Amino acid sequence: MENREPAEFAAAAWIARREREDWNESDSEKLSAWIAASTDNRVAWLRLNSSWQQTTRLKTLGAQVPRGTVPTPEQTSVPFFNSSEEGNPGASTAVKAGLPESTRKRPAWFDVRVRVAAAVLVCSTITLAWYLIPRGPSYETAVGVLQAVPLADGSRVTLNTNTHINVHLTTNEREVNLTQGEAYFEVAKDSTRPFVVMAGDKRVVAVGTQFSVRRDGEDVRVFVTEGKVEVEGVAATGSNTVQHATQLDAGSIAHASADGLVVQKKPLAEVEQFLSWRSGYLAFDRTPLAAAAAEFNRYSKRQIVIEDPAVAAILVGGNFRATNVEAFVRLIESDFPIAATVEPDRIILTGVPAPAPQLQK
Amino acid sequence: MSETVDDWFVREVLPHEAALLRYLARVWPNAADIQDIRHDAYVRILEGADRLRPTAPKSLLFSIARNLMIDRARRHRIVPIDLWEDLDSLNVLVDEVTPERRTSIRQQLMKVTAAVNQLPDKCREVLWLRRVESLSQKEIAAQLGISEGTVEKHMMRAARLLSDLLTERDLPVVRAEPQTGTAEDHDHGK
């Protein structure tokens, strides 16, 4: 009663303060102390923070407007009935819901086809959700977004672009299901509960260590920077029989594909280079342009396209901001005999015949 | 099991807020008290869960809310007679997995978008520039021509309003049904 409003105001103030540039460890401690001071505070914090966290989803919409601008509410309304959009412009305003009069004005609601479509959509959404409901919290990042997530056991996960994980912590196991993308794990030591990352039919098991798992369909790569992990293949048919287990220690890069498992031992610095995405950068060292372009394409809707094999084979090096594909292309253009054609959803790189000096291979 | 009580609360209790508010609004005569009753119910269920985590959080939440209303009604002694009848017949829902939790990522995005779109203009702009564009408070202040302190005030207001806006709205799934929503049917029991 008298406690709610002050607690909610204070919780909102903490949320706003946490968005400051200079937020630090000691601020975090003060926040924890405030939350622990009363259940009123704790309730207000959990409720407001959970809503605030949901706004990260808006990043999906951010890609549709120019950087640094705020779209109008109309621009961000998400159409709900895809099927009826074209023939019925009114349907897209349905989403702006919350406005009761728009519901009444819409004759299309009573169109049989729309109602059937709605019923089908509702049923399929519920069925799909039933199967997809994870047993624990799940986290996802949009294309070009990087996010660190603390887990309840003290471990920390950094999600790379376009990544989705489900987390399931029990008394005897900690399981993270990497359904898509790439994530770096800093595992809190707990010898009683192994930390398992599932990536398709591969299990990556760690006790207390730091490693990254990247999944491209059924291809799984594991990069180990500290401690030991084990990669196991799981028989896809029926029982969860473990087929084989391979131990990896720090400096290992394992690549599991349909053809089997290949393990390379590298200097730690080289492994770290594969993980530079954690700071938002991509590092290349005599990397074929085709491979570099494929990396950039993970972070952006605007895809680099290279058709000329001679261009694809050019070797590039350097550090680039993962989300700034334009800057990368400008550099390539100025340093190599390459022309870029920029289109809304792609950038085409083609070789230009060099006049006097020979094209470098 | 090893999930923290706080995570459990966010996952198992908060999603029932819309249903809880509808129930309170239906039974309790004074709209001004509803958010306070909701808050007190959360406090009790969270303190209880610290000792033992309930298996049927939604039913428990509603019966706690009911008990809180009875306490209040006794204390204030200004309550219309029919309230007692309403309170006695607490035959709300017992389905634990409500449609609130079975939402797709797309629906969650729509829900958040609609809530954010209802924020006051300045709050909405500040939230967008910070959360989507990741501008610093200083950059936001420069872009909007306001002080950093004001930016933080708008952010604070946005944070406070957002929870209410998120639960005020029903899910699109419910609106897609012609007249009577499915969630309503569940919640009103009877």
Side-chain angles (χ1 to χ4, degrees):
Chain A
M1 50 185 92
E2 310 83 22
N3 304 331
R4 175 185 63 90
E5 280 213 301
E8 287 182 354
F9 271 91
W14 278 110
I15 287 171
R17 206 205 285 189
R18 197 183 43 179
E19 297 290 339
R20 283 185 195 167
E21 292 279 275
D22 59 357
W23 177 260
N24 57 36
E25 282 294 312
S26 98
D27 291 325
S28 273
E29 280 162 23
K30 280 180 211 142
L31 170 58
S32 302
W34 176 80
I35 293 171
S38 76
T39 315
D40 286 303
N41 292 356
R42 196 167 144 212
V43 161
W45 169 260
L46 290 174
R47 179 169 175 270
L48 265 57
N49 184 49
S50 131
S51 305
W52 188 252
Q53 292 307 327
Q54 289 182 47
T55 60
T56 45
R57 296 189 188 285
L58 295 173
K59 286 190 174 164
T60 324
L61 301 175
Q64 298 165 9
V65 295
R67 267 202 69 74
T69 57
V70 181
T72 63
E74 287 72 26
Q75 285 174 314
T76 56
S77 294
V78 193
F80 180 50
F81 289 100
N82 286 326
S83 53
S84 57
E85 260 172 330
E86 304 137 31
N88 173 28
S92 61
T93 62
V95 192
K96 287 182 61 199
L99 307 170
E101 73 275 11
S102 70
T103 320
R104 264 181 269 119
K105 268 190 238 154
R106 228 174 305 107
W109 278 115
F110 303 98
D111 183 308
V112 175
R113 283 168 306 165
V114 174
R115 282 166 67 172
V116 169
V120 169
L121 195 68
V122 168
C123 292
S124 54
T125 306
I126 290 175
T127 318
L128 194 68
W130 177 256
Y131 285 106
L132 292 181
I133 273 184
R135 289 166 300 169
S138 62
Y139 305 92
E140 59 182 329
T141 48
V143 171
V145 179
L146 202 67
Q147 198 192 354
V149 179
L151 300 185
D153 69 326
S155 300
R156 196 177 135 95
V157 186
T158 310
L159 275 66
N160 200 352
T161 173
N162 199 15
T163 296
H164 186 269
I165 60 167
N166 293 325
V167 179
H168 184 54
L169 305 177
T170 67
T171 38
N172 43 29
E173 192 167 88
R174 298 172 284 175
E175 186 183 297
V176 173
N177 194 354
L178 176 68
T179 47
Q180 163 187 332
E182 179 170 19
Y184 182 75
F185 301 91
E186 291 156 78
V187 180
K189 289 205 168 44
D190 182 350
S191 53
T192 60
R193 288 192 295 163
F195 192 98
V196 179
V197 179
M198 296 292 302
D201 62 353
K202 300 291 178 303
R203 277 164 59 92
V204 182
V205 187
V207 178
T209 187
Q210 302 190 2
F211 63 104
S212 181
V213 180
R214 170 172 171 177
R215 181 172 176 190
D216 300 288
E218 291 315 304
D219 266 27
V220 176
R221 287 181 181 81
V222 182
F223 306 87
V224 186
T225 52
E226 192 195 290
K228 274 189 171 55
V229 302
E230 234 171 47
V231 181
E232 300 169 351
V234 178
T237 46
S239 63
N240 266 16
T241 345
V242 174
Q243 285 177 324
H244 47 77
T246 308
Q247 270 229 346
L248 306 176
D249 42 20
S252 300
I253 299 179
H255 181 190
S257 64
D259 303 330
L261 183 77
V262 180
V263 181
Q264 290 172 280
K265 194 82 172 81
K266 299 262 188 186
L268 216 49
E270 214 167 306
V271 179
E272 290 282 354
Q273 199 176 63
F274 284 98
L275 303 174
S276 58
W277 58 264
R278 285 175 294 150
S279 49
Y281 283 88
L282 296 177
F284 303 122
D285 181 19
R286 286 176 296 124
T287 307
L289 189 52
E295 280 303 301
F296 272 107
N297 286 349
R298 297 173 64 202
Y299 296 85
S300 140
K301 295 248 160 68
R302 185 180 271 171
Q303 302 277 297
I304 301 178
V305 179
I306 307 169
E307 273 154 9
D308 184 345
V311 173
I314 288 174
L315 300 179
V316 296
N319 283 295
F320 303 92
R321 186 132 203 108
T323 49
N324 198 346
V325 62
E326 287 79 12
F328 173 70
V329 168
R330 271 199 303 277
L331 267 166
I332 294 293
E333 261 192 309
S334 65
D335 289 359
F336 297 97
I338 291 176
T341 317
V342 180
E343 294 177 4
D345 59 345
R346 56 185 195 158
I347 299 172
I348 305 163
L349 299 183
T350 41
V352 279
Q358 275 300 301
L359 209 155
Q360 54 198 120
K361 269 226 328 220
Chain B
M1 277 292 239
S2 67
E3 179 194 38
T4 66
V5 173
D6 287 357
D7 289 340
W8 168 85
F9 176 80
V10 168
R11 194 164 51 85
E12 295 289 340
V13 179
L14 286 182
H16 300 303
E17 183 161 317
L20 175 66
L21 292 176
R22 280 197 295 273
Y23 165 61
L24 293 174
R26 192 158 45 87
V27 178
W28 191 254
N30 188 356
D33 297 336
I34 285 175
Q35 290 291 347
D36 288 332
I37 300 173
R38 184 221 82 221
H39 175 84
D40 291 352
Y42 283 172
V43 167
R44 290 217 186 164
I45 201 166
L46 192 56
E47 286 177 344
D50 279 336
R51 292 185 293 273
L52 180 67
R53 218 171 288 183
T55 48
K58 189 173 182 183
S59 319
L60 180 65
L61 179 66
F62 279 67
S63 47
I64 289 176
R66 172 174 170 271
N67 291 337
L68 286 169
M69 286 192 282
I70 293 173
D71 287 351
R72 269 179 192 250
R74 290 220 178 93
R75 244 183 298 130
H76 296 318
R77 280 190 257 159
I78 44 156
V79 174
I81 290 166
D82 56 347
L83 172 70
W84 294 104
E85 282 173 35
D86 282 341
L87 281 174
D88 282 342
S89 60
L90 175 88
N91 54 354
V92 272
L93 55 102
V94 195
D95 84 329
E96 284 296 329
V97 186
T98 63
E100 274 96 337
R101 272 176 55 199
R102 288 193 201 149
T103 53
S104 67
I105 286 168
R106 181 176 169 76
Q107 284 171 324
Q108 289 168 21
L109 171 65
M110 286 175 49
K111 208 176 149 177
V112 177
T113 308
V116 167
N117 283 347
Q118 287 174 57
L119 287 171
D121 286 349
K122 275 279 176 293
C123 288
R124 182 173 172 279
E125 282 170 33
V126 165
L127 181 141
W128 182 275
L129 292 173
R130 176 68 203 139
R131 300 292 286 172
V132 181
E133 299 292 335
S134 305
L135 298 188
S136 68
Q137 288 204 353
K138 191 181 276 177
E139 289 167 324
I140 297 171
Q143 177 159 343
L144 300 180
I146 53 180
S147 74
E148 280 184 63
T150 312
V151 169
E152 192 159 317
K153 280 205 191 83
H154 284 307
M155 199 116 65
M156 196 181 145
R157 186 148 178 241
R160 199 165 45 79
L161 293 176
L162 206 57
S163 286
D164 292 341
L165 289 172
L166 276 168
T167 48
E168 252 172 36
R169 303 180 59 257
D170 281 333
L171 284 173
V173 174
V174 176
R175 281 198 319 278
E177 299 295 320
Q179 292 294 354
T180 49
T182 46
E184 291 290 307
D185 288 346
H186 287 302
D187 294 340
H188 288 260
K190 262 272 151 76

XYZ file of all heavy atoms in Angstrom, chain A residues 15-17 19-20 52 55 58 68-71, chain B residues 116 119-159 162:
438
model
N 16.978 1.897 -12.577
C 17.058 1.447 -13.972
C 17.643 2.547 -14.848
O 18.529 2.319 -15.667
C 15.656 1.027 -14.482
C 15.274 -0.302 -13.838
C 15.621 0.924 -16.008
C 13.850 -0.723 -14.086
N 17.171 3.785 -14.630
C 17.678 4.909 -15.420
C 19.156 5.133 -15.114
O 19.965 5.394 -16.005
C 16.871 6.169 -15.117
N 19.507 5.000 -13.847
C 20.893 5.243 -13.473
C 21.833 4.184 -14.062
O 22.966 4.467 -14.431
C 21.026 5.271 -11.951
C 22.231 6.117 -11.547
C 22.804 5.773 -10.212
N 21.987 6.262 -9.100
C 22.430 6.213 -7.845
N 23.644 5.727 -7.591
N 21.669 6.615 -6.882
N 21.694 2.944 -16.823
C 21.960 3.218 -18.235
C 23.068 4.267 -18.423
O 23.451 4.572 -19.531
C 20.681 3.697 -18.934
C 19.547 2.679 -18.954
C 19.832 1.495 -19.868
O 20.683 1.624 -20.770
O 19.208 0.433 -19.678
N 23.545 4.839 -17.297
C 24.613 5.831 -17.407
C 25.897 5.195 -17.918
O 26.162 4.026 -17.678
C 24.925 6.428 -16.031
C 23.922 7.450 -15.573
C 24.431 8.029 -14.270
N 23.369 8.749 -13.573
C 23.460 9.130 -12.310
N 24.554 8.839 -11.613
N 22.473 9.773 -11.742
N 11.727 -3.608 -18.553
C 12.779 -2.821 -19.208
C 13.616 -3.719 -20.117
O 13.959 -3.346 -21.237
C 13.649 -2.166 -18.137
C 14.644 -1.173 -18.657
C 15.985 -1.332 -18.724
C 14.373 0.122 -19.184
N 16.560 -0.209 -19.258
C 15.604 0.698 -19.542
C 13.191 0.856 -19.384
C 15.696 1.974 -20.101
C 13.287 2.127 -19.937
C 14.523 2.665 -20.280
N 12.619 -4.408 -23.753
C 12.764 -3.408 -24.808
C 13.949 -3.707 -25.732
O 14.059 -3.119 -26.786
C 12.923 -1.977 -24.250
O 14.091 -1.939 -23.432
C 11.725 -1.558 -23.441
N 13.220 -4.402 -29.318
C 12.973 -3.333 -30.295
C 14.111 -3.204 -31.296
O 13.945 -2.622 -32.359
C 12.776 -2.001 -29.578
C 11.536 -1.902 -28.686
C 11.563 -0.599 -27.920
C 10.278 -1.998 -29.529
N 20.293 6.532 -35.532
C 20.193 7.744 -34.743
C 18.846 8.435 -34.814
O 18.649 9.469 -34.202
N 17.900 7.882 -35.568
C 16.592 8.517 -35.634
C 15.562 7.675 -34.895
O 15.728 6.478 -34.739
C 16.112 8.688 -37.087
O 16.093 7.399 -37.692
C 17.016 9.605 -37.868
N 14.510 8.348 -34.445
C 13.434 7.657 -33.747
C 12.248 7.542 -34.705
O 11.777 8.545 -35.206
C 13.012 8.444 -32.487
C 11.912 7.692 -31.758
C 14.202 8.688 -31.590
N 11.793 6.329 -34.966
C 10.667 6.181 -35.880
C 9.363 6.646 -35.219
O 9.281 6.694 -33.994
C 10.619 4.675 -36.143
C 11.231 4.064 -34.928
C 12.243 5.047 -34.420
N 5.508 0.570 -25.829
C 6.438 1.695 -25.988
C 5.779 2.829 -26.768
O 5.975 4.007 -26.469
C 7.747 1.218 -26.670
C 8.584 2.389 -27.125
C 8.541 0.347 -25.710
N 3.944 5.379 -24.681
C 4.668 6.255 -23.748
C 4.558 7.695 -24.231
O 4.390 7.943 -25.423
C 6.152 5.867 -23.701
C 6.542 4.582 -22.977
C 8.009 4.274 -23.247
C 6.290 4.692 -21.491
N 4.669 8.667 -23.307
C 4.737 10.066 -23.742
C 5.896 10.228 -24.736
O 6.900 9.520 -24.626
C 5.029 10.827 -22.452
C 4.594 9.916 -21.343
C 4.737 8.528 -21.853
N 5.736 11.154 -25.699
C 6.705 11.294 -26.793
C 8.161 11.321 -26.354
O 8.990 10.588 -26.855
C 6.409 12.562 -27.596
C 5.165 12.371 -28.463
O 4.711 11.204 -28.557
O 4.662 13.367 -29.005
N 8.463 12.217 -25.380
C 9.867 12.386 -24.992
C 10.422 11.108 -24.350
O 11.552 10.702 -24.603
C 10.027 13.570 -24.036
C 10.163 14.902 -24.775
C 11.595 15.120 -25.272
C 11.754 16.387 -26.100
N 11.048 16.352 -27.384
N 9.593 10.463 -23.522
C 10.006 9.206 -22.884
C 10.331 8.182 -23.952
O 11.315 7.457 -23.879
C 8.882 8.624 -22.036
S 8.561 9.526 -20.539
N 9.479 8.126 -24.955
C 9.629 7.138 -26.005
C 10.916 7.400 -26.798
O 11.669 6.479 -27.092
C 8.406 7.210 -26.930
C 8.412 6.205 -28.049
C 7.090 6.243 -28.806
N 7.191 5.414 -29.995
C 7.756 5.797 -31.124
N 8.257 7.018 -31.221
N 7.808 4.978 -32.157
N 11.151 8.674 -27.099
C 12.362 9.012 -27.862
C 13.622 8.645 -27.085
O 14.548 8.056 -27.626
C 12.374 10.508 -28.192
C 11.458 10.874 -29.347
C 11.308 12.380 -29.506
O 12.281 13.115 -29.228
O 10.211 12.816 -29.873
N 13.627 9.004 -25.814
C 14.797 8.722 -24.981
C 15.031 7.213 -24.899
O 16.148 6.726 -25.075
C 14.611 9.328 -23.563
C 15.624 8.747 -22.597
C 14.719 10.849 -23.624
N 13.945 6.468 -24.656
C 14.074 5.010 -24.548
C 14.621 4.417 -25.847
O 15.525 3.584 -25.845
C 12.712 4.396 -24.222
C 12.683 2.881 -24.046
C 11.739 2.523 -22.911
C 12.231 2.145 -25.288
N 14.101 4.885 -26.956
C 14.530 4.353 -28.249
C 16.023 4.624 -28.500
O 16.775 3.735 -28.863
C 13.677 4.957 -29.371
C 14.027 4.414 -30.716
C 15.009 4.837 -31.552
C 13.425 3.299 -31.376
N 15.058 4.066 -32.682
C 14.098 3.114 -32.610
C 12.371 2.424 -31.040
C 13.753 2.105 -33.514
C 12.032 1.428 -31.949
C 12.723 1.270 -33.159
N 16.406 5.885 -28.271
C 17.806 6.252 -28.555
C 18.772 5.493 -27.649
O 19.868 5.141 -28.049
C 18.004 7.764 -28.396
C 17.280 8.604 -29.460
C 17.396 10.083 -29.130
C 17.834 8.340 -30.855
N 18.350 5.219 -26.424
C 19.228 4.511 -25.496
C 19.215 2.998 -25.784
O 20.249 2.387 -25.939
C 18.762 4.787 -24.065
C 19.520 4.032 -22.996
C 20.951 4.522 -22.891
N 21.778 3.488 -22.300
C 22.994 3.170 -22.702
N 23.546 3.828 -23.687
N 23.660 2.221 -22.123
N 18.044 2.415 -25.866
C 17.938 0.959 -25.927
C 18.142 0.397 -27.331
O 18.574 -0.731 -27.484
C 16.573 0.495 -25.383
C 16.340 0.895 -23.960
C 17.265 0.143 -23.030
N 16.859 -1.235 -22.876
C 17.581 -2.154 -22.245
N 18.744 -1.822 -21.731
N 17.145 -3.380 -22.147
N 17.758 1.143 -28.351
C 17.911 0.629 -29.710
C 19.177 1.179 -30.354
O 19.989 0.454 -30.899
C 16.685 0.960 -30.579
C 16.860 0.394 -31.977
C 15.423 0.404 -29.931
N 19.366 2.497 -30.269
C 20.514 3.110 -30.922
C 21.751 3.108 -30.029
O 22.839 3.483 -30.478
C 20.169 4.541 -31.341
C 19.004 4.630 -32.339
C 19.371 4.047 -33.705
O 20.573 4.025 -34.024
O 18.467 3.618 -34.435
N 21.571 2.746 -28.761
C 22.681 2.688 -27.801
C 23.449 3.999 -27.693
O 24.657 3.999 -27.477
C 23.655 1.564 -28.163
O 22.987 0.352 -28.254
N 22.770 5.120 -27.845
C 23.440 6.406 -27.622
C 23.634 6.610 -26.123
O 22.873 6.093 -25.319
C 22.588 7.568 -28.172
C 22.304 7.600 -29.672
C 21.629 8.921 -30.046
C 23.580 7.440 -30.482
N 24.661 7.363 -25.741
C 24.869 7.654 -24.325
C 23.896 8.755 -23.910
O 23.312 9.436 -24.755
C 26.303 8.106 -24.092
O 26.489 9.363 -24.688
N 23.772 8.936 -22.584
C 22.871 9.992 -22.105
C 23.287 11.350 -22.664
O 22.448 12.177 -23.002
C 22.906 10.031 -20.580
C 22.198 8.831 -19.961
C 21.717 9.129 -18.558
O 22.012 10.171 -18.000
N 20.974 8.212 -17.988
N 24.608 11.555 -22.740
C 25.113 12.832 -23.240
C 24.695 13.052 -24.692
O 24.212 14.115 -25.074
C 26.643 12.854 -23.112
C 27.252 14.227 -23.356
C 28.768 14.201 -23.234
C 29.211 14.329 -21.784
N 30.651 14.249 -21.611
N 24.862 11.996 -25.506
C 24.496 12.104 -26.924
C 22.989 12.329 -27.083
O 22.549 13.098 -27.944
C 24.910 10.816 -27.666
C 26.415 10.682 -27.831
C 26.846 9.290 -28.273
O 26.234 8.288 -27.845
O 27.821 9.197 -29.033
N 22.207 11.648 -26.246
C 20.750 11.819 -26.322
C 20.388 13.254 -25.959
O 19.584 13.892 -26.621
C 20.041 10.829 -25.376
C 20.318 9.385 -25.804
C 18.535 11.082 -25.369
C 19.843 8.330 -24.814
N 21.031 13.767 -24.893
C 20.763 15.142 -24.460
C 21.054 16.122 -25.596
O 20.264 17.015 -25.885
C 21.612 15.473 -23.234
N 22.202 15.910 -26.289
C 22.581 16.800 -27.382
C 21.570 16.715 -28.525
O 21.118 17.724 -29.062
C 23.982 16.444 -27.875
N 21.190 15.490 -28.874
C 20.281 15.307 -30.009
C 18.900 15.902 -29.749
O 18.277 16.464 -30.626
C 20.159 13.814 -30.336
C 19.174 13.544 -31.469
C 19.422 12.194 -32.124
O 20.478 11.582 -31.975
N 18.450 11.718 -32.866
N 18.405 15.779 -28.504
C 17.056 16.262 -28.207
C 17.056 17.690 -27.669
O 16.004 18.276 -27.449
C 16.361 15.330 -27.213
C 16.171 13.871 -27.659
C 15.468 13.079 -26.574
C 15.376 13.800 -28.966
N 18.253 18.252 -27.453
C 18.345 19.619 -26.951
C 17.811 19.763 -25.532
O 17.151 20.740 -25.196
N 18.058 18.766 -24.678
C 17.648 18.850 -23.274
C 18.852 18.478 -22.414
O 19.856 18.007 -22.927
C 16.459 17.905 -22.966
C 16.787 16.480 -23.425
C 15.195 18.392 -23.650
C 15.669 15.480 -23.165
N 18.739 18.694 -21.109
C 19.879 18.401 -20.229
C 19.958 16.902 -19.952
O 18.980 16.179 -20.116
C 19.734 19.156 -18.914
O 18.735 18.550 -18.123
N 21.148 16.462 -19.507
C 21.309 15.040 -19.187
C 20.393 14.618 -18.047
O 19.875 13.507 -18.032
C 22.769 14.744 -18.811
C 23.673 14.606 -20.017
C 25.089 14.216 -19.608
O 25.243 13.120 -19.039
O 26.012 15.006 -19.836
N 20.199 15.533 -17.102
C 19.306 15.234 -15.983
C 17.890 14.961 -16.469
O 17.216 14.051 -15.987
N 17.458 15.775 -17.453
C 16.118 15.579 -17.997
C 16.026 14.247 -18.741
O 15.012 13.554 -18.667
C 15.762 16.747 -18.952
O 16.073 17.964 -18.288
C 14.295 16.725 -19.316
N 17.105 13.904 -19.454
C 17.122 12.611 -20.151
C 16.886 11.488 -19.145
O 16.057 10.603 -19.342
C 18.481 12.381 -20.864
C 18.590 10.940 -21.360
C 18.640 13.353 -22.029
N 17.598 11.572 -18.010
C 17.467 10.513 -17.015
C 16.063 10.493 -16.411
O 15.508 9.426 -16.130
C 18.535 10.676 -15.920
C 18.623 9.449 -15.028
C 19.964 9.344 -14.297
O 21.008 9.584 -14.928
O 19.953 9.030 -13.098
N 15.479 11.691 -16.253
C 14.105 11.734 -15.723
C 13.130 11.063 -16.677
O 12.244 10.317 -16.274
C 13.679 13.181 -15.486
C 14.227 13.753 -14.199
C 13.347 14.879 -13.677
C 14.052 15.616 -12.551
N 15.009 16.639 -13.056
N 13.299 11.323 -17.986
C 12.408 10.682 -18.968
C 12.595 9.170 -18.942
O 11.639 8.409 -19.051
C 12.704 11.198 -20.381
C 12.167 12.580 -20.629
N 10.866 12.921 -20.398
C 12.762 13.707 -21.101
C 10.673 14.191 -20.705
N 11.826 14.696 -21.134
N 13.852 8.752 -18.794
C 14.158 7.325 -18.777
C 13.478 6.674 -17.576
O 12.903 5.598 -17.648
C 15.678 7.152 -18.690
C 16.155 5.796 -19.115
S 17.185 5.892 -20.572
C 18.587 6.793 -19.980
N 13.549 7.381 -16.445
C 12.954 6.881 -15.211
C 11.447 6.745 -15.369
O 10.851 5.740 -14.980
C 13.280 7.908 -14.122
C 13.081 7.413 -12.746
S 13.474 8.752 -11.600
C 12.269 8.384 -10.349
N 10.864 7.754 -15.985
C 9.421 7.728 -16.166
C 9.038 6.584 -17.094
O 8.080 5.846 -16.858
C 8.980 9.074 -16.755
C 7.506 9.228 -16.864
C 7.050 10.670 -16.683
N 5.604 10.729 -16.852
C 5.010 11.443 -17.801
N 5.720 12.186 -18.631
N 3.697 11.434 -17.896
N 9.827 6.406 -18.163
C 9.571 5.324 -19.107
C 9.638 3.977 -18.389
O 8.770 3.122 -18.564
C 10.583 5.366 -20.252
N 10.652 3.803 -17.546
C 10.821 2.541 -16.834
C 9.621 2.258 -15.937
O 9.174 1.130 -15.810
C 12.107 2.566 -16.007
N 6.312 1.588 -18.178
C 6.362 0.448 -19.093
C 5.655 -0.800 -18.560
O 4.886 -1.445 -19.274
C 7.822 0.131 -19.422
C 8.065 -0.567 -20.749
C 7.493 0.245 -21.894
C 9.560 -0.770 -20.940
